Amino acid sequence: MATPTLDSPVKQIQIEGLVVLKMIKHYQEEGQGSEVVQGVLLGLVVEDRLEITNCFPFPQHTEDDADFDEVQYQMEMMRSLRHVNIDHLHVGWYQSTYYGSFVSRALLDSQFSYQHAIEESVVLIYDPIKTAQGSLSLKAYRLTPKLMEICKEKDFSAEGLKKAMIGFEHMFEEVPIVIKNSHLINVLMWELEEKCTVADKHELLNLSSSNHLEKSLQLLMDRVDDMSQDIVKYNTYSRNLSKQQQQKHQYIQRRQQENAQRQTRGETPLPEEDVSKMFKPPQPPPRMDTLLIAGQINNYCQNVKEFTSQNLGKLFMAEALQGHNS
Amino acid sequence: SEQPNSLTMSVYGPVVKIHPVVLASIGDSYERRNEGASRVIGTLLGTIDKHSVEVTNCFSVPHNESEDEVAVDMEFAKNMYDLHKRVSPSEVIVGWYATGFEITEHSVLIHEYYSREATNPIHLTMDTALQSGKMNIRAYVSAQMGVPGKTVGVMFTPLSVKYKYYDTERIGVDLLQRTRDAPNTTNGLTSDLCQVGGAAGRVQDMLATVLTYIEDVLSGKQMADNSVGRYLMDLVNKVPKITAEDFETMLNSNINDLLMVTYLSNLTQAQIALNEKIVVL
């Protein structure tokens, strides 16, 4: 995903430790398996920084009346939090992800409505599986201004996208994150360290990688399959379109010939029929989905490359250790 | 209806397990307290099992406290609990917290209110004003005392506090620990090889400590400790003894796998970029 453009209103995200802990806890308790957990971020905007100071989770989508509950839940939560002096400005939302698959239509729509209402909002993607492997994986994304334009127009056709010259790399922009804690929390950290030295499990130096790689590659293959289906659809569409153009031309020519013949014979020419109604142009396939799939594939590839580079490093270290031994 | 104290104690056992998110939340609400309030209170949520109470969440409750009276917004507390229940239906009210060092008479009243919400609630205090230079996180349960029938009072008996982390929580806390070294600055998240380098550095530090200890023992500066010696033996034996050839083959096959995957992902990325350019033509 691309680096932030110069004209975006938010250059950096500052998160408090509390938010990080709350997100981790939310996924841990409520989101086992490949379910996605979501929540709202609260905070404020300071110059070109977006400070996130608190958050609250959303209940899972249940079978009974999800929509009405959500809005009401949110309103009540924000009202209550205001009573205890917590920043109640809505600045974005967070979502957990499964092996990095989050580029979807739903995400796009949600982020668009957020960014439309509040210009600086972001979506925080928390990857719990990568975090469990040793280091916190948290990324912040916004839609690029180009993509915002397109969503506003709701023009997802091929011409529209061509005009805007959007590639899958220009859909989302990543915003760098920093973590800041207040002094009181720092004191708390010192105390925790003293009271409870949990043994470091060093998951980060774990050598076993095949499980993670397998799953990532599986997801990548699925997406590539989707993409190839899409390409096939597009190809058939262009073929159909060109065939239809040919038919149209032939029809018009025949008509003209007939009319010329009739004129020579002195009969009234046949009425000009509406050619376009007879040959309905085939539906062009939606390009937006292809773009999303391409973006998702790109994301998977990036993750896989990060993973392999880490593992190569670890393998070389293991080699050095073994070399020393023998 | 008088239950002997030992029985109530054995309902929970004397241990309270707290997650770090609760403490961070309490600290945050203390920082945001209203003008003039010397302490903040709130509800503790969590789960109870046979041997202990685990506190996993909390929220602050507005309250007013003066010399003679105390008023707690109970409506608010109930509302918040309902909202929280929609997200985590398994969490129940297990007690309440207050910042500050002492347990005042007002605490007794508040504790009574919470006794109506939960059986035998826990009272947690956290000294955010750092009166004794430390944060003193303590937990109490109330117990009846005095002469039955005549003057009866309430006594708060301390429980032992332990901290519990989920694995991912511990990793999150590790990252947060880094901010304490440079308190006024911020810390970015590291990436890729930097992380592996960092972890390797930590292991190296630990090995250095062990080495200095060993050298001290060898040169006679420190007494040899047998249990430590046994751990050291374990450590040295943990490096697996594999013949050089076998290790070569294992290493090479792993490296080949990773390189192949890297090559494939680069190829895929090039493919989709090409596809896009062609379609736009």
Side-chain angles (χ1 to χ4, degrees), chain A residues 56-72:
Chain A
F56 61 85
F58 254 177
Q60 303 275 40
H61 277 258
T62 48
E63 301 82 36
D64 37 74
D65 54 30
D67 269 290
F68 174 69
D69 264 355
E70 274 195 23
V71 174
Q72 197 193 33

Side-chain angles (χ1 to χ4, degrees), chain A residues 85 135 191 194 298 305, chain B residues 32 134-135 195 266 269:
Chain A
N85 297 336
S135 69
E191 280 236 1
E194 194 184 280
N298 191 33
K305 285 200 289 195
Chain B
R32 293 171 182 277
K134 283 191 169 228
M135 228 168 207
Q195 293 165 350
N266 278 331
Q269 279 184 312

Side-chain angles (χ1 to χ4, degrees), chain B residues 116-274:
Chain B
R116 273 177 267 147
E117 300 287 323
T119 49
N120 215 4
I122 306 243
H123 175 41
L124 183 74
T125 58
M126 188 159 121
D127 187 9
T128 40
L130 300 167
Q131 275 178 6
S132 53
K134 283 191 169 228
M135 228 168 207
N136 265 318
I137 299 170
R138 295 182 183 196
Y140 304 90
V141 193
S142 77
Q144 300 271 344
M145 71 168 182
V147 184
K150 296 205 186 130
T151 41
V152 186
V154 165
M155 181 177 75
F156 282 91
T157 32
L159 306 171
S160 62
V161 172
K162 287 215 159 48
Y163 301 99
K164 182 148 190 256
Y165 295 64
Y166 297 126
D167 282 339
T168 37
E169 262 184 338
R170 187 173 44 77
I171 296 175
V173 171
D174 275 345
L175 182 67
L176 298 181
Q177 298 281 17
R178 273 194 256 150
T179 64
R180 68 175 194 214
D181 295 325
N184 271 327
T185 61
T186 56
N187 272 291
L189 306 175
T190 52
S191 65
D192 291 26
L193 278 178
C194 298
Q195 293 165 350
V196 180
R202 281 202 290 277
V203 176
Q204 221 176 4
D205 286 341
M206 285 196 253
L207 286 176
T209 326
V210 173
L211 274 177
T212 37
Y213 170 78
I214 296 178
E215 282 180 11
D216 281 345
V217 170
L218 283 180
S219 64
K221 271 191 245 172
Q222 260 198 14
M223 287 293 299
D225 188 351
N226 276 338
S227 48
V228 175
R230 256 174 258 136
Y231 279 128
L232 285 174
M233 265 259 293
D234 273 342
L235 182 70
V236 171
N237 282 335
K238 272 227 166 77
V239 181
K241 286 203 171 37
I242 318 175
T243 58
E245 294 160 354
D246 283 344
F247 188 74
E248 274 290 314
T249 23
M250 280 199 289
L251 188 73
N252 280 332
S253 68
N254 263 327
I255 293 186
N256 281 336
D257 282 342
L258 293 175
L259 287 176
M260 173 189 80
V261 171
T262 316
Y263 172 73
L264 280 177
S265 22
N266 278 331
L267 192 66
T268 320
Q269 279 184 312
Q271 174 78 34
I272 43 178
L274 262 179

